[in-house]
Amino acid sequence: MSEAARIALGMMRIENLSDGEIRDLYAGAREAGVTHFDHADIYGGGEHGCERRFNEALQLSPAEREQVVLQTKCGIRSGGRGFDFSAQYIVRRAEESLEALGTEYLDVLMLHRPDTLVEPEEVASAFSQLEAAGKVRSFGVSNHTTPQIELLKTAVTQPIAVNQVQFGLGHAALVAQGIAANMEGLKQSAVRDGGLLEYARINGITLEAWSPFQRGFFSGSIFEQGGLRELQAVLARIATERGTTPTAIATAWITRHPARMRVVLGTTRVSRVGEAVAGAQLVLSREEWYELFVAAGYEVP
Ligand SMILES: NC(=O)c1ccc[n+]([C@@H]2O[C@H](COP(=O)([O-])OP(=O)(O)OC[C@H]3O[C@@H](n4cnc5c(N)ncnc54)[C@H](OP(=O)(O)O)[C@@H]3O)[C@@H](O)[C@H]2O)c1
């Protein structure tokens, strides 16, 4: 995977951008070497809102379409009405995404959040129908634990290629739990994802980090949020030492991990895409990596 391929551009925040702004963002990302674009059926106020805006603004030529990876997600019912991994729902939503994106195939279709009412045979049926029709080329999940992936694999025959999870210096549970494994009385040491980090590495599943610069669930960026002064100071100091920006360092912190994660950016500014791509080319030392982790408020026992 090239360094630019370690960066994907998330399309969750484009609904209110003008066509020109979307075109500039896309062109800037492509120029920086980004080929991955991340969608979901529920992004944007309306159904498939951001997918539709992407297509209206860009009208990708067949040649350009072949050069990029378009991935989307389904399975969350909009309006807080739970989840639906039934075969009928998955197929219908994927077909709607194809229409909204104006494309004949999706490179990756992900199940967005676990549905506890899942019947793995239903997912298997949906994936096989979509694959056989040439509508989806590969499959993944998002926010899934190790056992939830194993459950899907009891019926699904296609590889689960990707798991997109919340990860970054502002919410690092994915790595923090393993670092403090076994420590009595430490909240951080509770393993809540079934050892997902190691499971993904062992099984060749690409982990994608969503909201890489946010703290918590959209509580604001780590660069401007109050209460993160120590992290901001360490990011600024390492950025100065390395002759780069805090955004690049926060990206490098994710890409430094040998799990070789992909960073799903949410910025709407081309300049920040460029900073992240530069960050993916930087290799932090172990000292820098752990110093940032501690500055973000985590324990190194
Ligand atoms: N699978 C899932 O469950 C899930 C959940 C959420 C998101 N996602 C995916 O992940 C993508 C990224 O999520 P996200 O948008 O939350 O990611 P993010 O990159 O952590 O946050 C982006 C937001 O932070 C702002 N920001 C970035 N750098 C900044 C800085 N230096 N100073 C001030 N503000 C800064 C951006 O503003 P500017 O636009 O001004 O730069 C934007 O509003 C989404 O587009 C979506 O594709 C997936």
Side-chain angles (χ1 to χ4, degrees):
M1 206 192 295
S2 76
E3 298 317 319
R6 307 283 300 280
I7 302 295
L9 189 57
M11 294 286 111
M12 184 180 74
R13 299 179 190 266
I14 66 164
E15 194 186 24
N16 297 320
L17 300 187
S18 68
D19 285 2
E21 287 168 333
I22 294 172
R23 280 198 283 270
D24 288 348
L25 179 63
Y26 180 87
R30 291 286 286 125
E31 204 160 305
V34 172
T35 51
H36 258 78
F37 296 88
D38 185 70
H39 287 271
D41 57 353
I42 58 164
Y43 293 163
E47 298 278 290
H48 303 274
C50 290
E51 292 175 333
R52 227 172 272 291
R53 289 294 302 122
F54 182 86
N55 181 35
E56 284 164 359
L58 296 171
Q59 296 285 307
L60 298 183
S61 69
E64 175 63 11
R65 169 66 188 94
E66 284 296 323
Q67 299 291 313
V68 296
V69 172
L70 295 187
Q71 55 187 42
T72 196
K73 317 180 195 78
C74 66
I76 299 181
R77 301 175 76 218
S78 48
R81 292 176 299 129
F83 309 97
D84 192 341
F85 283 9
S86 66
Q88 196 184 24
Y89 188 81
I90 293 169
V91 170
R92 176 166 67 78
R93 296 299 280 186
E95 287 175 342
E96 287 171 8
S97 287
L98 289 172
E99 192 268 324
L101 285 164
T103 183
E104 286 176 5
Y105 66 93
L106 299 168
D107 296 279
V108 190
L109 177 68
M110 285 178 241
L111 301 176
H112 204 156
R113 272 198 177 277
D115 173 16
T116 194
L117 304 181
V118 63
E119 303 283 358
E121 296 74 15
E122 289 277 309
V123 175
S125 165
F127 283 9
S128 294
Q129 287 176 54
L130 290 165
E131 185 182 55
K135 293 176 177 171
V136 178
R137 294 190 173 171
S138 69
F139 298 90
V141 293
S142 175
N143 304 306
H144 275 59
T145 66
T146 296
Q148 286 166 340
I149 296 173
E150 283 292 310
L151 176 61
L152 289 175
K153 283 168 67 174
T154 60
V156 171
T157 53
Q158 293 81 4
I160 302 293
V162 184
N163 189 8
Q164 192 175 107
V165 295
Q166 185 187 54
F167 186 62
L169 275 163
H171 34 222
L174 179 72
V175 299
Q177 45 193 299
I179 287 172
N182 246 341
M183 297 300 290
E184 191 179 333
L186 196 59
K187 200 171 141 211
Q188 182 185 320
S189 68
V191 174
R192 292 180 297 160
D193 62 16
L196 179 64
L197 179 67
E198 288 74 22
Y199 174 81
R201 293 181 71 180
I202 292 165
N203 289 280
I205 296 172
T206 299
L207 290 168
E208 293 189 339
W210 60 260
S211 289
F213 307 141
Q214 293 284 303
R215 184 183 207 186
F217 200 36
F218 312 131
S219 306
S221 96
I222 55 172
F223 308 106
E224 51 183 5
Q225 248 224 355
L228 288 176
R229 228 169 284 152
E230 194 185 338
L231 175 62
Q232 288 156 3
V234 177
L235 281 168
R237 196 201 76 232
I238 297 176
T240 304
E241 287 165 2
R242 296 285 203 141
T244 187
T245 64
T247 300
I249 298 300
T251 306
W253 187 81
I254 299 171
T255 54
R256 168 64 177 85
H257 198 283
R260 295 192 64 72
M261 299 176 209
R262 184 175 292 119
V263 181
V264 188
L265 304 175
T267 187
T268 51
R269 300 184 194 205
V270 172
S271 59
R272 288 186 177 144
V273 177
E275 290 175 51
V277 170
Q281 279 149 19
L282 238 167
V283 180
L284 295 181
S285 68
R286 284 174 182 275
E287 288 72 21
E288 289 169 326
W289 195 93
Y290 279 107
E291 186 184 0
L292 286 161
F293 179 72
V294 171
Y298 293 98
E299 297 267 352
V300 174

Coordinates of all heavy atoms in Angstrom, one line a residue, residues 10-13 38-39 43 73 112-113 142-143 164 210-214 217-218 221 223-224 247 264-269 272, ligand 1:
G10 N -13.1 11.0 3.8 CA -14.5 10.7 4.2 C -15.4 11.8 3.6 O -15.1 13.0 3.6
M11 N -16.6 11.4 3.2 CA -17.5 12.3 2.6 C -18.7 12.7 3.4 O -19.7 13.2 2.9 CB -18.0 11.7 1.3 CG -16.9 11.4 0.2 SD -16.4 13.0 -0.5 CE -14.8 13.3 0.1
M12 N -18.6 12.4 4.7 CA -19.7 12.6 5.6 C -20.1 14.1 5.8 O -21.3 14.4 6.1 CB -19.3 12.1 7.0 CG -20.4 12.1 8.1 SD -19.7 11.4 9.6 CE -18.7 12.7 10.2
R13 N -19.2 15.0 5.5 CA -19.4 16.4 5.8 C -19.6 17.3 4.5 O -19.5 18.5 4.6 CB -18.3 17.0 6.6 CG -18.1 16.3 8.0 CD -17.0 16.9 8.8 NE -16.6 16.1 10.0 CZ -17.1 16.4 11.2 NH1 -17.9 17.4 11.4 NH2 -16.7 15.6 12.2
D38 N -14.8 7.6 1.0 CA -15.6 6.9 2.0 C -17.0 7.5 2.1 O -17.1 8.7 2.5 CB -14.9 6.8 3.3 CG -15.7 5.9 4.3 OD1 -15.7 4.7 4.1 OD2 -16.3 6.5 5.3
H39 N -18.0 6.7 1.9 CA -19.4 7.2 2.0 C -20.2 6.3 3.0 O -19.7 5.3 3.4 CB -20.1 7.1 0.6 CG -19.6 8.1 -0.4 ND1 -20.2 9.3 -0.5 CD2 -18.7 8.1 -1.3 CE1 -19.6 10.0 -1.4 NE2 -18.7 9.3 -2.0
Y43 N -25.1 9.3 5.3 CA -24.5 10.6 5.4 C -25.3 11.7 4.7 O -25.7 11.4 3.5 CB -23.1 10.6 4.9 CG -22.1 9.7 5.7 CD1 -20.9 9.3 5.1 CD2 -22.4 9.3 7.0 CE1 -20.0 8.5 5.8 CE2 -21.5 8.5 7.7 CZ -20.3 8.2 7.1 OH -19.4 7.4 7.8
K73 N -21.5 2.3 3.1 CA -21.9 1.5 4.2 C -23.4 1.5 4.2 O -24.1 2.4 3.8 CB -21.4 2.0 5.5 CG -19.9 2.5 5.5 CD -19.5 3.0 6.8 CE -18.2 3.8 6.6 NZ -18.4 5.1 6.1
H112 N -22.4 -1.1 8.5 CA -22.0 0.1 9.3 C -21.8 0.0 10.8 O -20.9 0.4 11.4 CB -23.0 1.2 8.9 CG -22.5 2.6 9.1 ND1 -23.1 3.7 8.4 CD2 -21.5 3.2 9.8 CE1 -22.4 4.8 8.7 NE2 -21.5 4.5 9.6
R113 N -22.8 -0.6 11.4 CA -22.8 -0.9 12.9 C -23.4 -2.2 13.1 O -24.4 -2.6 12.5 CB -23.5 0.2 13.6 CG -22.6 1.4 14.0 CD -23.2 2.2 15.1 NE -22.2 3.3 15.4 CZ -21.1 3.1 16.1 NH1 -21.0 2.0 16.8 NH2 -20.3 4.1 16.3
S142 N -17.9 -2.3 9.9 CA -17.4 -1.1 10.6 C -18.0 -1.2 12.0 O -19.1 -1.7 12.3 CB -18.0 0.1 9.9 OG -17.7 1.3 10.7
N143 N -17.1 -0.8 13.0 CA -17.5 -0.9 14.4 C -17.8 -2.3 14.9 O -18.6 -2.4 15.8 CB -18.7 0.1 14.7 CG -18.4 1.5 14.2 OD1 -17.4 2.1 14.6 ND2 -19.2 2.0 13.3
Q164 N -13.8 -0.7 9.8 CA -13.6 0.8 10.0 C -14.1 1.1 11.5 O -15.2 0.8 11.9 CB -14.5 1.6 9.0 CG -14.1 3.0 9.0 CD -14.8 3.8 7.9 OE1 -15.8 4.6 8.2 NE2 -14.4 3.6 6.7
W210 N -11.8 6.0 11.7 CA -12.7 7.1 11.4 C -12.6 8.2 12.5 O -12.2 7.9 13.6 CB -14.1 6.6 11.2 CG -14.9 5.9 12.3 CD1 -15.1 4.5 12.3 CD2 -15.7 6.5 13.4 NE1 -15.9 4.2 13.4 CE2 -16.3 5.4 14.0 CE3 -15.9 7.8 13.8 CZ2 -17.1 5.6 15.2 CZ3 -16.7 7.9 15.0 CH2 -17.3 6.8 15.6
S211 N -12.9 9.4 12.2 CA -12.8 10.6 13.0 C -11.4 10.6 13.6 O -11.2 10.7 14.9 CB -13.8 10.6 14.2 OG -15.1 10.8 13.7
P212 N -10.3 10.6 12.8 CA -9.0 10.5 13.3 C -8.5 11.7 14.1 O -7.6 11.6 15.0 CB -8.1 10.4 12.0 CG -9.0 11.0 11.0 CD -10.4 10.7 11.3
F213 N -9.2 12.8 14.0 CA -8.8 14.0 14.7 C -9.9 14.5 15.7 O -9.7 15.6 16.3 CB -8.4 15.2 13.7 CG -7.4 14.8 12.7 CD1 -7.6 15.3 11.4 CD2 -6.4 14.0 13.0 CE1 -6.6 15.0 10.4 CE2 -5.4 13.6 12.0 CZ -5.6 14.1 10.7
Q214 N -10.9 13.8 15.8 CA -12.0 14.2 16.8 C -11.7 13.6 18.1 O -10.9 12.6 18.3 CB -13.3 13.7 16.3 CG -13.8 14.3 15.1 CD -14.4 15.7 15.3 OE1 -15.2 16.0 16.1 NE2 -13.8 16.6 14.5
F217 N -17.2 11.3 20.4 CA -18.1 11.2 19.3 C -18.5 12.6 18.8 O -19.4 13.2 19.3 CB -19.4 10.4 19.8 CG -20.2 9.8 18.7 CD1 -19.6 9.2 17.6 CD2 -21.6 9.7 18.8 CE1 -20.4 8.6 16.6 CE2 -22.3 9.1 17.8 CZ -21.7 8.5 16.7
F218 N -17.6 13.1 17.9 CA -17.8 14.4 17.3 C -17.8 15.5 18.4 O -18.7 16.4 18.3 CB -19.1 14.5 16.5 CG -19.2 13.4 15.5 CD1 -20.4 12.7 15.4 CD2 -18.2 13.0 14.7 CE1 -20.6 11.6 14.5 CE2 -18.3 11.9 13.8 CZ -19.5 11.3 13.7
S221 N -12.3 18.9 17.4 CA -11.0 18.4 17.0 C -10.0 18.4 18.1 O -10.1 19.3 19.0 CB -10.5 19.1 15.8 OG -9.6 20.1 16.1
F223 N -7.2 19.4 18.0 CA -6.3 20.5 17.9 C -6.8 21.8 18.6 O -6.1 22.7 18.8 CB -6.0 20.8 16.4 CG -5.6 19.6 15.7 CD1 -6.4 19.0 14.8 CD2 -4.3 19.1 15.8 CE1 -6.0 17.9 14.1 CE2 -3.9 18.0 15.2 CZ -4.7 17.4 14.3
E224 N -8.1 21.8 18.8 CA -8.7 23.1 19.4 C -9.5 22.8 20.7 O -9.9 23.8 21.3 CB -9.6 23.7 18.3 CG -10.6 22.7 17.8 CD -11.5 23.1 16.6 OE1 -11.3 24.3 16.2 OE2 -12.3 22.3 16.2
T247 N -1.3 18.4 12.4 CA -2.2 17.5 11.7 C -1.3 16.3 11.1 O -1.8 15.2 11.1 CB -2.9 18.2 10.5 OG1 -3.7 19.3 11.1 CG2 -3.8 17.3 9.7
V264 N -9.2 7.7 7.8 CA -10.3 8.2 7.0 C -10.6 9.7 7.5 O -11.2 9.9 8.5 CB -11.6 7.4 7.2 CG1 -12.7 7.9 6.3 CG2 -11.3 5.9 7.0
L265 N -10.0 10.6 6.7 CA -10.1 12.0 7.1 C -11.6 12.5 6.9 O -12.3 12.1 6.0 CB -9.2 12.9 6.1 CG -7.8 12.5 6.0 CD1 -7.1 13.4 4.9 CD2 -7.1 12.8 7.4
G266 N -11.9 13.6 7.7 CA -13.2 14.2 7.5 C -13.1 15.6 7.1 O -14.1 16.3 7.0
T267 N -11.9 16.1 6.8 CA -11.8 17.5 6.5 C -12.4 17.9 5.2 O -12.5 17.1 4.3 CB -10.3 17.9 6.5 OG1 -10.2 19.4 6.4 CG2 -9.5 17.3 5.4
T268 N -12.8 19.2 5.1 CA -13.3 19.7 3.9 C -12.3 20.7 3.2 O -12.6 21.4 2.3 CB -14.6 20.4 4.1 OG1 -14.4 21.4 5.2 CG2 -15.8 19.5 4.5
R269 N -11.1 20.7 3.8 CA -10.0 21.6 3.3 C -8.9 20.8 2.7 O -8.3 20.0 3.3 CB -9.4 22.4 4.5 CG -10.5 23.2 5.2 CD -9.8 24.0 6.3 NE -10.8 24.5 7.2 CZ -10.7 25.6 7.9 NH1 -9.6 26.3 7.8 NH2 -11.7 26.0 8.7
R272 N -5.5 20.5 4.5 CA -5.4 19.5 5.6 C -5.2 18.1 5.0 O -4.6 17.2 5.6 CB -6.6 19.6 6.5 CG -6.5 20.8 7.4 CD -7.6 20.9 8.4 NE -7.4 22.0 9.3 CZ -8.4 22.8 9.8 NH1 -9.6 22.5 9.6 NH2 -8.1 23.9 10.5
Ligands
LIG1 N1 -17.8 4.0 10.3 C1 -18.3 4.9 11.1 O1 -19.1 4.6 12.0 C2 -18.0 6.4 10.9 C3 -18.4 7.3 11.9 C4 -18.0 8.7 11.6 C5 -17.3 9.0 10.5 N2 -16.9 8.0 9.6 C6 -16.1 8.4 8.4 O2 -14.9 9.0 8.9 C7 -14.8 10.3 8.2 C8 -14.1 11.2 9.0 O3 -14.8 11.5 10.2 P1 -14.7 13.0 10.9 O4 -15.2 14.0 9.9 O5 -15.3 13.0 12.2 O6 -13.1 13.1 11.0 P2 -12.0 14.1 11.5 O7 -11.1 14.3 10.4 O8 -11.5 13.6 12.8 O9 -12.8 15.5 11.8 C9 -13.1 16.4 10.7 C10 -13.6 17.6 11.3 O10 -12.6 18.2 12.2 C11 -12.2 19.4 11.7 N3 -10.8 19.6 11.7 C12 -9.8 18.8 11.2 N4 -8.6 19.3 11.5 C13 -8.8 20.4 12.2 C14 -7.9 21.4 12.7 N5 -6.6 21.3 12.6 N6 -8.4 22.4 13.4 C15 -9.8 22.6 13.5 N7 -10.7 21.7 12.9 C16 -10.2 20.6 12.3 C17 -12.7 19.5 10.2 O11 -12.9 20.8 9.8 P3 -12.4 21.3 8.4 O12 -13.4 20.7 7.4 O13 -12.6 22.8 8.5 O14 -11.0 20.8 8.2 C18 -14.0 18.7 10.3 O15 -15.0 19.4 10.7 C19 -16.2 10.7 7.8 O16 -16.2 11.5 6.7 C20 -16.8 9.3 7.4 O17 -16.4 9.0 6.1 C21 -17.2 6.7 9.8

